[in-house]
């Protein structure tokens, strides 16, 4: 019996270390599994402890070590070469003499004419039946049948007859002249009235002519339609001069005044900049926005259509002591702005910055950097993506 107990104790003492090692190993695996987390490379706020797809963009989630709290990335020279990462020491320099404002061409309402019916009646003939047609000033637009016009012509002939019979009475001549003026106001031309006086035959039809040259942008009537006096029939737009409207921030508007001369570049005609006089700056920001509207007029030299994109060159005084960087060196994600600094050889850290005015290719750094910092100027976005992929969080706090 004692022999059996001895053998059992001997076996237990030999197996105990193995069980202990196995338990420790299982514990380490459990701990490793506990910290294994998956995230989305594009949306680091998405984190879970099992593989899957991002609920925001549908990308496959990737594993990352959430216990790694280091706020820097280490890349060797080969990795930097593959990622096209280059750096430059930030120093004092000046921006270009102008920046771009995004704008577009707009119809000038001062050169828009609404053609309305001066009499009530029926559209007998419509000479322009579709939009987009170019018309010239004095061109026939439509012919109207109007009993009201017939009555006015009869009154005019009667006044003229009385004025001729009673030529010694100036009162009848004044009435005849007033009747003639009324016909002119209702759209009859002087030639038509003279012909009416000569022939003595009333004509219930009147042909209306285009008050200006332009393009028919809207047509609101068809042949045979009855219209009331004052009804709008069509809209003519003259594109020989166009408005340029652009959005401008209040800080930029302080350097612009009404009457200032700016350069405008229309998309596709970059080699032909035009001069524009600023005619209007909105006194208040648009509802729901943080920008003001700037407006000016340009000559339409190349038959440009309203809606074309245009750039307005905004000049400003440049400070030779300002810190500037290439535009691509600053990462903007809608909430923060940051750059990447090479603090030591092959070690890169993110740093939050505050930007100021900018030009087409450079931007002013107002806060966050000092002269002499070595900043990543190309490949910054790759560093940002790599950081999010490895750390599962944004490089800088909001």
């Amino acid at each position: 019996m004692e022999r059996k107990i001895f053998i059992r104790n001997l076996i237990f003492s030999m197996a105990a270390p193995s069980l202990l090692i196995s338990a420790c190993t299982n514990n380490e695996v459990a701990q490793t599994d506990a910290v294994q987390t998956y995230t989305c490379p594009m949306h680091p706020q998405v984190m879970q402890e099992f593989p899957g797809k991002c609920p925001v963009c549908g990308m496959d989630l990737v594993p990352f070590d959430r216990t790694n709290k280091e706020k820097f990335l280490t890349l060797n020279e080969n990795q930097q070469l593959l990622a096209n990462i280059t750096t430059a020491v930030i120093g004092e320099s000046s921006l270009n003499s102008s920046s771009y404002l995004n704008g577009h061409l707009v119809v000038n309402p001062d050169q828009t004419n609404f053609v309305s019916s001066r009499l009530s009646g029926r559209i007998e003939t419509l000479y322009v039946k579709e939009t987009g047609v170019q018309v010239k000033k004095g061109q026939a637009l439509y012919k109207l049948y109007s009993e009201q016009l017939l009555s006015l012509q009869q009154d005019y002939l009667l006044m003229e007859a009385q004025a001729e019979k009673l030529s010694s009475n100036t009162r009848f001549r004044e009435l005849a002249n007033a009747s003639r003026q009324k016909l002119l106001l209702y759209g009859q031309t002087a030639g038509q009235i003279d012909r009416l006086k000569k022939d003595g035959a009333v004509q219930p039809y009147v042909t209306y002519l285009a008050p200006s040259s332009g393009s028919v942008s809207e047509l609101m009537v068809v042949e045979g339609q009855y219209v009331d006096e004052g009804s709008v029939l069509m809209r003519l737009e003259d594109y020989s001069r166009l408005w340029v409207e652009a959005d401008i921030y209040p800080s930029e508007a302080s350097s612009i005044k009404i009457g200032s001369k700016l350069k405008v570049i229309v998309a596709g005609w970059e080699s032909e900049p035009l001069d524009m006089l600023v005619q209007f700056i909105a006194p208040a920001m648009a509802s729901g926005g943080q920008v003001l509207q700037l407006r000016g007029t340009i000559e339409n030299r190349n038959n440009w259509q309203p809606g074309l994109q245009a750039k307005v060159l905004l000049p400003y005084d440049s400070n030779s002591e300002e810190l500037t960087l290439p535009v691509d060196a600053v990462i903007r994600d809608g909430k923060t702005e940051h750059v990447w600094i090479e603090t030591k050889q092959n070690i890169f850290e993110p740093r939050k910055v505050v930007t100021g005015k900018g030009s087409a290719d450079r931007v002013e750094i107002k806060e966050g950097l000092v002269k002499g910092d070595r900043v990543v100027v190309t490949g910054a976005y790759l560093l940002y993506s790599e950081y999010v992929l490895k750390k599962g969080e944004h490089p800088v706090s909001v």
Side-chain angles (χ1 to χ4, degrees), residues 243-275:
W243 272 1
V244 178
E245 291 184 346
D247 294 332
I248 183 172
Y249 288 103
S251 59
E252 297 172 323
S254 59
S255 61
I256 300 298
K257 297 180 180 179
I258 295 177
S260 299
K261 183 181 290 187
L262 302 178
K263 290 289 185 180
V264 175
I265 298 176
V266 179
W269 285 268
E270 287 77 6
S271 61
E272 303 179 25
L274 300 175
D275 290 329

Side-chain angles (χ1 to χ4, degrees), residues 156-367:
Y156 170 68
L157 291 178
L158 179 60
M159 292 296 105
E160 282 289 343
Q162 290 179 339
E164 289 179 0
K165 289 181 180 179
L166 304 172
S167 57
S168 59
N169 192 334
T170 58
R171 178 61 178 169
F172 287 102
R173 173 48 54 194
E174 291 175 354
L175 290 175
N177 290 339
S179 181
R180 178 186 176 90
Q181 185 64 29
K182 185 177 291 187
L183 286 173
L184 290 172
L185 292 175
Y186 277 101
Q188 293 270 267
T189 64
Q192 290 172 331
I193 298 174
D194 292 339
R195 191 161 47 252
L196 170 65
K197 180 180 177 180
K198 179 180 179 181
D199 298 340
V202 295
Q203 177 61 259
Y205 299 99
V206 57
T207 299
Y208 286 95
L209 310 179
S212 64
S213 300
S215 175
V216 179
S217 60
E218 190 174 6
L219 194 61
M220 302 91 151
V221 70
V222 295
E223 279 188 356
Q225 179 177 338
Y226 280 86
V227 295
D228 295 326
E229 182 179 344
S231 298
V232 179
L233 308 182
M234 62 186 71
R235 186 173 77 239
L236 301 180
E237 293 179 343
D238 184 3
Y239 298 148
S240 61
R241 292 175 62 84
L242 295 173
W243 272 1
V244 178
E245 291 184 346
D247 294 332
I248 183 172
Y249 288 103
S251 59
E252 297 172 323
S254 59
S255 61
I256 300 298
K257 297 180 180 179
I258 295 177
S260 299
K261 183 181 290 187
L262 302 178
K263 290 289 185 180
V264 175
I265 298 176
V266 179
W269 285 268
E270 287 77 6
S271 61
E272 303 179 25
L274 300 175
D275 290 329
M276 179 190 79
L277 288 179
V278 177
Q279 297 173 316
F280 173 79
I281 299 177
M285 288 182 285
S287 177
Q290 297 297 319
V291 294
L292 301 173
Q293 189 179 74
L294 177 147
R295 183 190 305 148
T297 304
I298 61 171
E299 296 286 343
N300 190 354
R301 299 179 180 176
N302 295 286
N303 294 322
W304 292 316
Q305 295 81 24
L308 275 176
Q309 295 296 312
K311 290 182 178 181
V312 179
L313 275 63
L314 179 65
Y316 51 77
D317 295 331
S318 181
N319 182 0
S320 60
E321 296 183 355
E322 59 198 4
L323 299 178
T324 67
L325 282 176
V327 172
D328 294 337
V330 181
I331 303 297
R332 300 176 173 90
D333 61 0
K335 296 181 179 179
T336 62
E337 297 175 318
H338 74 275
V339 299
W340 286 86
I341 307 294
E342 187 177 16
T343 56
K344 298 179 182 179
Q345 186 175 2
N346 300 335
I347 295 179
F348 302 90
E349 290 185 6
R351 185 175 297 178
K352 186 176 180 180
V353 296
V354 176
T355 60
K357 58 190 177 183
S359 63
D361 56 354
R362 298 189 72 83
V363 63
E364 178 190 9
I365 305 298
K366 301 179 68 174
E367 297 179 16

